[in-house]
Amino acid sequence: MNINDYGFDFYIGTESISGTPARVTAVHKGRFGIVSDYGESYAVLKGKEYYHNGESFPTVGDFVLIEHNRGGDSLIIKTLKRRTYFSRRDPDKGRGEQAIAANFDYVFIMQSMNHDFNPKRLERYITAARQSKAEPVIVLTKADLTDDYLPYIIEASNAAEGVKLCIVSAKTGYGMDELSPYLQKGKTLVFLGSSGVGKSSLVNALAGENIMDVNGIREDDSKGRHTTTHRQLIMLKNGVMIIDTPGMRELGMWDISAGLNEAFPDIEALTGCCKFRDCRHENEPGCAVREAIRSGELDERRFESYRKIKTEAKYGGDSAEYRRQKEKFFKTVTINERKKKKAVY
């Protein structure tokens, strides 16, 4: 087994390596699946480095340095610099950033062509993908369920201008050849999509064998259940690697400033043209955003989606805090309205 087959050759000559390089293939509670030149094994963190010296906790896809132990768990002593990564608010600590996937080349943003198709969710995923610095690819799945792709293509193209779009059916094989440019040996893919979108079916189709369980979906709303129980990196026979993780569905908007600029370039350009620097884009005079909405240049639904994502990002993906602040805002508005009515009376 050669660690370079897992993409480590990118790091040769870029960092001072003192230790055995390995890649994290799975994350369990307190234990990590790894692969190195010694083969597949398990490892634990070296306490001093990670709990006292502030080393970044590894996640699936990370390249790390280990002290190899032939008779048991190896010790992870360092996390190497990440090329790309997804992160969210740490659910255990209640605050702070937690990386949940690292060092991938392409992000397959999956939406099924049925009831579960959601342009707003697509915009969120595009924003996160842009922020990660990897190349996003929209994959519209379950092409066998409809004869009319056009409405889905239009919606997806409007939500992600300039992003490559592929239409596939893992069941029939339709469109699978469109994914060939991304299925190169040594490359790593990440799948983003809600449960029931067909991630497991696509992995099995790409692998040419059933390596992941496939659950059915509910007929009424096309939703399904997660089949992945822990974060993992899967190596296919052709040398392509796929990262799948249950945490991806609840991907938090941790720090998406760069991703937001790239996902909504039209809106970012308009916000810089407003008369006032602190314009809230509501009823201020000289607001370029409102003028674009009035003229039809900008879809108001797209702007509202942009504003919602930006607001959620303010709370680092803390949806509960976001809801509390939202309720607080509307409560304040209601109280002010009552005061006005009372004053008039």
Side-chain angles (χ1 to χ4, degrees):
M1 185 171 290
N2 191 330
I3 188 62
N4 288 339
D5 292 338
Y6 283 79
F8 182 74
D9 53 347
F10 172 84
Y11 287 89
I12 296 177
T14 64
E15 291 207 28
S16 177
I17 305 299
S18 57
T20 301
R23 192 169 194 187
V24 177
T25 58
V27 176
H28 306 282
K29 192 171 183 179
R31 205 164 179 238
F32 301 83
I34 61 170
V35 61
S36 68
D37 287 343
Y38 293 101
E40 297 181 6
S41 59
Y42 289 94
V44 294
L45 301 178
K46 189 171 184 177
K48 179 182 176 182
E49 304 299 332
Y50 284 90
Y51 294 101
H52 299 289
N53 294 347
E55 191 68 41
S56 297
F57 282 73
T59 190
V60 63
D62 264 326
F63 288 99
V64 296
L65 298 180
I66 64 171
E67 293 178 357
H68 178 65
N69 182 0
R70 184 182 300 177
D73 289 350
S74 298
L75 280 181
I76 299 176
I77 58 176
K78 181 178 177 59
T79 304
L80 297 180
K81 184 178 179 180
R82 294 161 177 148
R83 295 186 291 113
T84 58
Y85 72 98
F86 280 125
S87 64
R88 65 179 177 184
R89 174 178 169 271
D90 192 325
D92 295 324
K93 297 179 181 179
R95 59 182 180 177
E97 182 181 20
Q98 179 194 53
I100 52 177
N103 299 312
F104 41 87
D105 300 281
Y106 303 109
V107 182
F108 277 16
I109 302 172
M110 301 175 64
Q111 292 262 288
S112 53
M113 291 188 285
N114 55 19
H115 299 93
D116 198 41
F117 182 82
N118 189 323
K120 290 186 177 180
R121 185 188 301 135
L122 182 59
E123 288 173 333
R124 289 172 62 86
Y125 285 156
I126 286 291
T127 302
R130 291 294 195 188
Q131 183 70 26
S132 77
K133 303 303 180 185
E135 181 180 344
V137 181
I138 297 174
V139 181
L140 299 182
T141 63
K142 304 187 179 180
D144 51 287
L145 298 182
T146 179
D147 295 324
D148 188 6
Y149 307 146
L150 188 58
Y152 298 101
I153 293 174
I154 293 174
E155 289 265 29
S157 299
N158 289 339
E161 185 177 351
V163 178
K164 172 68 175 178
L165 187 151
C166 302
I167 298 174
V168 304
S169 169
K171 184 177 180 179
T172 66
Y174 176 84
M176 295 294 288
D177 56 331
E178 291 188 53
L179 303 179
S180 297
Y182 311 104
L183 305 177
Q184 304 300 317
K185 182 179 180 180
K187 296 296 183 181
T188 302
L189 318 176
V190 162
F191 286 8
L192 282 186
S194 59
S195 55
V197 77
K199 288 185 290 182
S200 298
S201 296
L202 184 58
V203 171
N204 291 340
L206 294 176
E209 57 182 322
N210 293 327
I211 60 177
M212 293 189 71
D213 293 332
V214 178
N215 284 338
I217 61 173
R218 299 192 296 262
E219 295 290 339
D220 55 346
D221 59 5
S222 302
K223 295 185 182 295
R225 300 190 311 275
H226 284 296
T227 51
T228 309
T229 57
H230 62 275
R231 294 176 242 163
Q232 59 182 329
L233 180 146
I234 303 165
M235 170 71 87
L236 304 185
K237 291 179 179 178
N238 60 3
V240 176
M241 289 159 283
I242 296 174
I243 293 177
D244 192 23
T245 163
M248 286 303 193
R249 184 183 183 188
E250 301 301 329
L251 188 67
M253 299 286 102
W254 175 251
D255 175 12
I256 45 78
S257 54
L260 201 63
N261 293 343
E262 294 185 32
F264 297 89
D266 50 342
I267 298 177
E268 287 289 320
L270 287 170
T271 57
C273 297
C274 294
K275 183 177 181 180
F276 301 105
R277 185 176 296 179
D278 59 348
C279 183
R280 294 179 298 174
H281 317 301
E282 293 175 354
N283 297 308
E284 296 88 345
C287 176
V289 172
R290 285 296 158 191
E291 181 57 37
I293 292 174
R294 281 192 291 270
S295 67
E297 178 186 347
L298 174 65
D299 188 332
E300 187 166 15
R301 290 178 300 176
R302 178 169 167 79
F303 174 67
E304 290 303 322
S305 181
Y306 162 87
R307 183 150 63 177
K308 183 177 180 181
I309 293 173
K310 192 169 186 177
T311 302
E312 288 184 27
K314 180 180 178 181
Y315 302 103
D318 187 347
S319 56
E321 177 62 20
Y322 169 69
R323 287 194 297 271
R324 283 194 293 269
Q325 293 296 329
K326 187 176 180 181
E327 290 170 2
K328 182 179 179 181
F329 170 77
F330 284 112
K331 186 177 181 180
T332 302
V333 171
T334 303
I335 292 173
N336 290 338
E337 288 296 324
R338 287 176 180 173
K339 286 181 179 179
K340 288 179 182 179
K341 290 180 180 180
K342 187 175 181 179
V344 172
Y345 178 75

